[in-house]
């Protein structure tokens, strides 16, 4: 099974979905202090990276698809 995180960044740059570039989406998130604060709580640093965003999207997708027996192998390493 391919990790969900490998697919999580796709919609951001997909012209049929969000039509952003990854760098533009990250810049938007970085410009919103509340998002910076929330990512800082999770990752204990003031930066937001594409890996951070894809892992957060992965966590969201996993909670939507509960019950999941294991999350092993679903997240990407940062």
């Amino acid at each position: 099974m391919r990790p969900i995180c490998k697919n999580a960044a796709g919609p951001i740059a997909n012209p049929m979905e969000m039509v952003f570039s990854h760098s533009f989406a990250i810049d938007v998130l970085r410009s919103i202090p509340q998002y910076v604060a929330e990512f800082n709580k999770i990752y204990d640093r003031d930066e937001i990276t594409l890996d951070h965003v894809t892992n957060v999207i992965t966590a969201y997708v996993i909670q939507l698809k509960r019950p999941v027996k294991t999350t092993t192998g679903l997240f990407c390493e940062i």
Side-chain angles (χ1 to χ4, degrees):
M1 174 186 347
R2 181 181 170 142
I4 294 171
C5 66
K6 296 292 184 188
N7 297 322
I12 295 169
N14 183 332
M16 299 298 287
E17 295 187 50
M18 292 179 66
V19 196
F20 286 149
S21 68
H22 291 129
S23 61
F24 179 74
I26 300 301
D27 288 344
V28 169
L29 292 172
R30 289 177 180 155
S31 74
I32 303 169
Q34 294 87 344
Y35 279 113
V36 174
E38 292 300 317
F39 275 87
N40 188 24
K41 287 179 191 176
I42 297 168
Y43 294 105
D44 197 27
R45 60 181 81 152
D46 285 333
E47 71 175 319
I48 299 175
T49 68
L50 184 60
D51 287 337
H52 295 149
V53 172
T54 57
N55 274 331
V56 169
I57 293 169
T58 300
Y60 176 73
V61 169
I62 288 170
Q63 70 87 26
L64 287 177
K65 296 180 180 265
R66 289 282 182 210
V68 172
K69 294 180 182 173
T70 181
T71 58
T72 304
L74 297 178
F75 290 93
C76 289
E77 295 297 319
I78 293 182

